Structures are given as structure tokens and as C-alpha cells.
Amino acid sequence: MATVELRIPPQPVHVRTARLVGVAAARRTRLPDDLVDELRLAVGEACSRAVALHSQQGLDGPVVVRISDDEDRLVVEVIDLGPPPGSIDGPVHELLRDSPGDPNVALAFLAGLVEDVEVTSQEGGTSVRLTWPLLARVR
């Protein structure tokens, strides 16, 4: 299993770096092109959401992006340091159904874009975990 961890300053200009690293990891794992495009968009949305939350809350700490893979999946996790946008433990679909006025539209977009989205919140931040299945790799 390979893992890459980025710690990006909470500024919009650094979201592009996270997208580029995510795409490079996806290509290395031979993720199909249509899913690479999905990943590029999803990583951008998740990171933009985290950067915006840091900006709104006046947080200077980095947004953490972890990208890992194993034999059957590619996982991107974006972790912010902000307070949770309401009670978001549990499936993201429940959050969106129960909080239609929630300002985190990016979570709704991600839920519609990526099949496997997990949002968890705890003291000290929120994690948005996105997972894509990998085809059997040729060695």
C-alpha cells in the first residue's frame, strides 16, 4: 500500500496542487479515465470546501490530504480543522436529507458524484473520505 500525505495551506491556490497529486496517484493505479476525471473534480471540491471552512473560521492550520491505495481501491481523505457543519457522523446522505439548508453544498455535490463518500466529524476537524474501486492490477 502506498500513501501520500499533503499538508496544504488553507488558500485556494493550493487546491490545484492537491488535484494534480490526486490525478497522478490515480493514473499510477490505472484508474479508468472517466474515474480519473471524477477524482479530479471530487478532490477539488473536497479541498475547496475545507479551505473555505478554514477561511470562514479564521484557521491557519493546514488542510490534510491523504491518498492511499491497495489492491482493490484508491482512497482520498481530506481533513479540515474546523468545527463540524452540524451533526455529520454517519452516512453523508443522511446529513444532506436532514440538513437541506446546510451551507456545505460541496458535500451534496460529492455525494452525487462519488459512489463511496464517508463524512465523519470529531473534535478538531472533519474528514471527507472518497473511495474508488480499482480493477485487478496487471503486474
Side-chain angles (χ1 to χ4, degrees), residues 2 16-17 20 30 46 48 75 83 133:
R16 182 173 188 262
T17 301
L20 291 171
R30 297 189 177 107
S48 293
V75 178

Side-chain angles (χ1 to χ4, degrees), residues 2-22:
T3 301
V4 174
E5 182 173 291
L6 301 170
R7 293 180 174 272
I8 62 171
Q11 300 162 349
V13 68
H14 298 291
V15 171
R16 182 173 188 262
T17 301
R19 274 196 314 261
L20 291 171
V21 172

Side-chain angles (χ1 to χ4, degrees), residues 48-88:
S48 293
R49 178 202 162 277
V51 165
L53 182 62
H54 278 227
S55 177
Q56 291 170 355
Q57 299 295 317
L59 302 169
D60 291 329
V63 171
V64 177
V65 181
R66 289 190 191 116
I67 304 167
S68 61
D69 68 282
D70 58 24
E71 288 299 316
D72 63 350
R73 65 187 176 153
L74 176 66
V75 178
V76 177
E77 185 176 20
V78 179
I79 304 164
D80 65 62
L81 301 175
S87 176
I88 65 172

